[in-house]
Amino acid sequence: MKFDPSARFLLVSSFLIPLGSFMVLPFMSVFLHERFGLGLGTVGVVLAVASLVQFSGGIVGGVVAERIGVRRAMVLALVVRTSGFCCFLAGLSWSPAAVLALVLTCCGAALYLPANKAYLVEGVSGERRPLFLSASNAALNAGMAAGPLLAGPFVLSAPGLVFAVVSGLFLAMTFGHALLPERPVPQRREASPLAGLSLLPFCATAISFYLYFFMQHFLAVFAVPRTSPEFYSVVLLINAGLVIVLQPLVSGAVARMPYRYALLIGFAGFTVGMAVLPHAILVGAVLITLGDIVLFLKNELVALDTTPRSAAVVFGQQRLAAGLGACASGLVGGVLYDSVGGTTFWLVVAAQCVLLPPLLLLARRFRRGSTGVAVRAVHD
């Protein structure tokens, strides 16, 4: 399938932007804990707040894109994010500056991602949306994988160099986005950001990110002392490779799959992966990623199909759900990891992967009994 030049540029950007971000962000728990001596409980709170801003702020990003246009929203987001990575240089000697830099980069991500995805899928037929979204996700995961691999040997020994390179990359991306043509989106200025919310995929996304972000937040703390930063980078590389290769290949099958089957398969991957991870880090992470491939794509597709709002706002609503889940994961995970230690921590998370998904039955029942809150979910 052919992409127009603007879409191709955005797909390249979807690789380069997470490449720069993930040269820094996956190591923040280790950086804050080892360089500044912050306790894991405090680190968990910082990561929780950052995750809440990055993901939940997407609801603001979607509305901003509706109001000012998706191209302007992306440029504004990249200005904020570039400022954040520049602030990391000051954070080398002052921990509050590092925390501020983390929050700024997360604010930029909150503004950018709904507009980015909306630019790709607005006006695209429903049959083509799975491939467009999976291509975007594949590019994003390629960048997420390459970033830690490139920065792993340097981020703790020469962080100033890493932060300077990333700042330059984001500055270049800002200028590139300023040259894109504007792409109009449907205007719904009278509606609140949560109007037309599709409740079931919203709740499914919140639970999915809550469970998945135990690995995102705390795998580095668990894996690096037992192996090395390089091994941790390789794990991220392999997992991202699975998303890059498999998600576009299975996107059509995931789109056609009944929603309940997608939820069952995805959460089963989370459960087995978390249980296996203490004994086989790579195998456990791979199983979790397979669940991620199904869950995250299907939740977005169902949300797009079941609301009248613009794609930017739908993606913003999904980011809000993701932020609530990721924030809760950071708050719970920091205290839990300090309390029970590494091996037991992952087993407790595996138990949550079994116990929490049935709560979606309540959301499904509420959706079916409500009027005007959400439209009927297709493929349910």
Side-chain angles (χ1 to χ4, degrees), residues 162-255:
V162 174
F163 297 153
V165 169
V166 172
S167 298
L169 174 62
F170 270 84
L171 184 62
M173 286 290 97
T174 303
F175 283 111
H177 280 69
L179 300 177
L180 285 171
E182 186 58 83
R183 184 164 293 181
V185 298
Q187 299 296 305
R188 292 279 302 240
R189 297 190 179 188
E190 77 286 354
S192 74
L194 293 178
L197 176 68
S198 190
L199 187 61
L200 185 55
F202 182 88
C203 294
T205 296
I207 293 176
S208 300
F209 271 76
Y210 169 74
L211 297 171
Y212 181 75
F213 262 72
F214 283 112
M215 185 180 78
Q216 286 289 94
H217 285 326
F218 299 103
L219 182 58
V221 176
F222 180 80
V224 170
R226 291 168 173 79
T227 56
S228 68
E230 291 77 15
F231 176 80
Y232 172 60
S233 298
V234 170
V235 170
L236 295 180
L237 176 65
I238 292 173
N239 288 351
L242 289 173
V243 178
I244 295 165
V245 174
L246 288 182
Q247 194 171 73
L249 292 176
V250 304
S251 61
V254 171

Side-chain angles (χ1 to χ4, degrees), residues 35-296:
R35 189 179 185 93
F36 296 112
L38 299 181
L40 285 178
T42 302
V43 171
V45 172
V46 171
L47 294 176
V49 172
S51 298
L52 182 63
V53 171
Q54 177 175 351
F55 290 100
S56 299
I59 194 70
V60 177
V63 173
V64 169
E66 265 194 344
R67 297 295 179 89
I68 69 174
V70 288
R71 181 188 62 83
R72 294 187 184 91
M74 287 190 289
V75 172
L76 174 62
L78 288 170
V79 169
V80 173
R81 214 165 183 188
T82 302
S83 301
F85 281 107
C86 290
C87 285
F88 271 119
L89 292 169
L92 291 172
S93 57
W94 191 40
S95 59
V99 173
L100 174 62
L102 179 61
V103 172
L104 280 174
T105 59
C106 291
C107 286
L111 291 171
Y112 180 80
L113 287 171
N116 172 278
K117 289 190 172 184
Y119 198 104
L120 281 173
V121 305
E122 281 288 3
V124 174
S125 64
E127 295 78 13
R128 299 167 67 198
R129 278 181 171 179
L131 183 58
F132 272 62
L133 284 176
S134 61
S136 176
N137 291 338
L140 184 145
N141 278 274
M144 290 169 60
L149 190 64
L150 290 175
F154 310 107
V155 69
L156 297 180
S157 60
L161 174 63
V162 174
F163 297 153
V165 169
V166 172
S167 298
L169 174 62
F170 270 84
L171 184 62
M173 286 290 97
T174 303
F175 283 111
H177 280 69
L179 300 177
L180 285 171
E182 186 58 83
R183 184 164 293 181
V185 298
Q187 299 296 305
R188 292 279 302 240
R189 297 190 179 188
E190 77 286 354
S192 74
L194 293 178
L197 176 68
S198 190
L199 187 61
L200 185 55
F202 182 88
C203 294
T205 296
I207 293 176
S208 300
F209 271 76
Y210 169 74
L211 297 171
Y212 181 75
F213 262 72
F214 283 112
M215 185 180 78
Q216 286 289 94
H217 285 326
F218 299 103
L219 182 58
V221 176
F222 180 80
V224 170
R226 291 168 173 79
T227 56
S228 68
E230 291 77 15
F231 176 80
Y232 172 60
S233 298
V234 170
V235 170
L236 295 180
L237 176 65
I238 292 173
N239 288 351
L242 289 173
V243 178
I244 295 165
V245 174
L246 288 182
Q247 194 171 73
L249 292 176
V250 304
S251 61
V254 171
R256 294 187 297 270
M257 184 184 300
Y259 195 20
R260 59 185 180 275
Y261 292 163
L263 295 175
L264 179 62
I265 292 170
F267 286 120
F270 280 9
T271 302
V272 179
M274 296 293 182
V276 168
L277 193 146
H279 312 289
I281 293 173
L282 179 58
V283 174
V286 165
L287 290 170
I288 294 166
T289 300
L290 294 177
D292 154 24
I293 288 172
V294 175
L295 280 176
F296 295 172

